[in-house]
């Protein structure tokens, strides 16, 4: 504790106080959200953009805190972020409009059953089965990619195929009995 008449040097000569940032954030976060909401029309997105603006201010707080109006800098960043998101969405939307398939075929029930059965396998077995049987990688390449011994991969493949066969046979029986 400083002696009588001395100042605590950290308060005046250290890095800008986090308390100043905290006070600005507490007092003005809602105002920045409201401004961005008016720009983007989505509350969740406005909150994200306001948060991002304050995060960027915090990263540069030693400089931003010296500005005449740090909140103006934060609002400007928020507006720029909103504009950037709007542009990216517009470009993505235009691209999706051009790239969408006109006709999407219905899902094949066998495909749906296979995906459901794969989801029930343990992760290592599922990954081994997919890499070997769907991607057509040799067992040695699957082992290398999964950082496992070849024998371990063969075991996963054997167990995975057995479980899939039982699952798919059961789902076929269920469909047969329903019809």
């Amino acid at each position: 504790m400083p002696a009588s008449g001395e100042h605590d040097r950290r308060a005046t000569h250290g890095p800008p106080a986090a308390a100043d940032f905290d006070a600005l954030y507490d007092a003005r976060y809602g105002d920045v959200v409201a401004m961005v909401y008016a720009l983007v029309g989505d509350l969740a997105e406005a909150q994200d953009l306001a948060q991002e603006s304050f995060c960027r201010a915090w990263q540069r707080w030693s400089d931003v805190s010296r500005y005449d109006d740090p909140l103006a800098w934060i609002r400007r960043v928020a507006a720029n972020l909103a504009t950037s998101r709007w542009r990216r969405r517009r470009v993505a939307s235009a691209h999706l409009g051009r790239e969408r398939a006109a006709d999407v075929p219905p899902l094949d029930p066998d495909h749906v059953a296979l995906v459901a059965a794969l989801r029930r396998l343990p992760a290592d077995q599922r990954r081994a089965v997919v890499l070997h049987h769907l991607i057509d990688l040799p067992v040695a390449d699957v082992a290398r990619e999964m950082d496992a011994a070849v024998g371990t991969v063969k075991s996963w493949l054997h167990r995975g195929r057995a479980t899939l066969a039982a699952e798919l046979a059961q789902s076929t029986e269920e469909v047969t009995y329903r019809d």
Side-chain angles (χ1 to χ4, degrees):
M1 184 160 180
S4 176
E6 292 182 30
H7 292 283
D8 184 356
R9 296 180 56 82
R10 290 174 296 167
T12 57
H13 299 293
D20 293 342
F21 179 82
D22 291 344
L24 179 65
Y25 181 86
D26 289 341
R28 298 303 189 157
Y29 173 75
D31 296 341
V32 176
V33 170
M35 180 201 79
V36 178
Y37 179 68
L39 295 173
V40 299
D42 180 278
L43 181 59
E45 188 172 352
Q47 290 168 333
D48 287 347
L49 293 173
Q51 187 69 36
E52 177 67 22
S53 302
F54 275 98
C55 286
R56 290 184 183 193
W58 174 247
Q59 291 170 339
R60 297 166 183 79
W61 190 241
S62 61
D63 294 329
V64 173
S65 65
R66 293 188 196 122
Y67 295 165
D68 290 336
D69 188 0
L71 184 60
W73 186 90
I74 292 168
R75 284 192 304 259
R76 180 66 179 169
V77 169
N80 289 346
L81 288 170
T83 301
S84 293
R85 274 205 189 170
W86 177 78
R87 286 180 183 150
R88 279 194 306 273
R89 283 192 175 160
R90 188 179 66 186
V91 168
S93 175
H95 177 72
L96 283 175
R98 287 190 309 265
E99 298 298 319
R100 266 198 196 135
D103 251 347
V104 177
L107 289 176
D108 178 19
D110 292 338
H111 178 78
V112 173
L114 176 62
V115 170
L118 281 168
R119 286 184 179 162
R120 288 190 284 273
L121 289 178
D124 289 333
Q125 289 179 21
R126 178 175 50 242
R127 186 169 174 209
V129 167
V130 167
L131 290 173
H132 183 66
H133 292 289
L134 299 178
I135 308 295
D136 289 329
L137 287 181
V139 173
D141 290 349
V142 173
R144 189 173 26 264
E145 187 164 324
M146 293 184 68
D147 196 26
V150 170
T152 303
V153 171
K154 287 179 179 180
S155 174
W156 288 336
L157 288 169
H158 175 74
R159 290 179 188 156
R161 283 189 299 255
T163 303
L164 284 174
E167 291 275 342
L168 293 173
Q170 182 181 0
S171 68
T172 303
E173 288 174 10
E174 290 173 4
V175 170
T176 305
Y177 291 130
R178 284 187 207 151
D179 292 340

